Amino acid sequence: MVKWETSLFTKIILMLSLAVVALASRNGDFHYFYFVQQWLGSYCDQRGEKCCYPPTGKPGPEFSIYGFWPYYNDGSFPYNCGGGNFDEALLKPMQDRLRKEWPSFTCPQIGRKFWVHEWNKHGTCSKSVLGEVAYFQAALSLKNRVNILQALTRAGIHPNNRLYPLKSVKKAIARATGFHPWVVCNRNSQGVSQIWQVSVCVNKSGTKLINCPFVPKGPGDCESRIKFPSF
């Protein structure tokens, strides 16, 4: 009886050890990025939430960077991979651009802590390919290339509080980027579905748009017609 219990205990320890090794191995790799932008008008007008403007005041009407997240092909993702201490001094040359293109509007206004959070949770899982500076530079470069507001404006879709067909929104972005986007909606205080986040997929080097291997379903799904709120 003692021998059987010892054998079982040994097997359990071995299985747990293998699981930890497998997880560590997986955390060190990924297949692609989701580059996510958000419409601040929707973030600041969502049900049950409040936004706070940075010390520089209310920004102009524009989509801003929300995240640059490594993913696996099956739709899962690594996070909090560790081993990549955030060094704010390294980002000083691009700090003005980050404040403009990758702001935080969480209350209370958290400023630079948002970049620390994004690096610690997501960036550290891509550090085998992109170090801290390269990670943020890649996101800023993609922001210049993926101009969501311009794509929608060219298609006659404006932030004027009107409802637009979801298909038209996706088509306009796909025409401008060459790739189908993942559009996430939230709801305003009246419960109306509105455009919030737009994501495109990017290769592991963070330089080239690709077709998304996986598009999640569930929370954030949009109605067939969605509001484009003013800001």
Side-chain angles (χ1 to χ4, degrees):
M1 185 68 174
V2 174
K3 289 183 179 180
W4 181 83
E5 289 178 346
T6 301
S7 176
L8 179 60
F9 179 76
T10 302
K11 287 181 179 180
I12 291 173
I13 294 298
L14 179 60
M15 291 172 64
L16 289 174
S17 299
L18 291 173
V20 170
V21 170
L23 181 61
S25 175
R26 193 169 192 198
N27 278 346
D29 197 12
F30 65 101
H31 297 126
Y32 64 98
F33 287 100
Y34 266 118
F35 177 62
V36 189
Q37 297 184 64
Q38 69 170 339
W39 178 248
L40 295 176
S42 297
Y43 177 80
C44 293
D45 188 35
Q46 61 183 312
R47 183 165 52 190
E49 294 290 341
K50 180 184 178 182
C51 72
C52 290
Y53 299 138
T56 52
K58 181 179 178 179
E62 184 58 89
F63 281 83
S64 66
I65 300 172
Y66 187 72
F68 190 40
W69 305 331
Y71 262 73
Y72 300 121
N73 285 335
D74 62 3
S76 61
F77 55 91
Y79 59 93
N80 296 335
C81 296
N85 294 332
F86 184 84
D87 185 349
E88 184 179 6
L90 295 175
L91 301 184
K92 203 161 188 179
M94 66 180 86
Q95 201 167 62
D96 288 343
R97 288 192 63 198
L98 285 171
R99 288 193 182 110
K100 179 182 177 181
E101 308 290 357
W102 201 339
S104 165
F105 289 82
T106 303
C107 295
Q109 225 292 319
I110 60 176
R112 60 170 288 279
K113 291 182 181 179
F114 182 46
W115 306 329
V116 177
H117 166 79
E118 288 298 303
W119 170 251
N120 287 339
K121 183 173 181 179
H122 302 288
T124 56
C125 298
S126 65
K127 64 182 181 294
S128 61
V129 180
L130 299 175
E132 179 185 328
V133 172
Y135 174 80
F136 286 97
Q137 284 180 333
L140 291 173
S141 178
L142 288 165
K143 177 66 175 67
N144 285 341
R145 292 166 50 197
V146 184
N147 193 322
I148 303 299
L149 183 60
Q150 183 182 79
L152 295 177
T153 300
R154 286 177 175 174
I157 300 172
H158 304 280
N160 53 12
N161 295 317
R162 291 180 53 189
L163 295 176
Y164 293 94
L166 175 62
K167 288 184 178 179
S168 298
V169 171
K170 290 183 176 181
K171 184 177 180 180
I173 298 168
R175 185 185 297 122
T177 64
F179 296 90
H180 292 287
W182 172 28
V183 178
V184 171
C185 292
N186 62 14
R187 293 184 181 274
N188 64 13
S189 55
Q190 288 77 45
V192 177
S193 180
Q194 56 186 7
I195 184 172
W196 176 28
Q197 297 175 4
V198 176
S199 302
V200 292
C201 290
V202 185
N203 67 348
K204 284 186 65 170
S205 66
T207 58
K208 182 180 179 182
L209 299 184
I210 60 172
N211 290 314
C212 291
F214 183 91
V215 176
K217 297 290 183 182
D221 286 351
C222 302
E223 302 288 347
S224 60
R225 293 177 63 82
I226 58 177
K227 183 178 180 180
F228 194 2
S230 60
F231 182 64

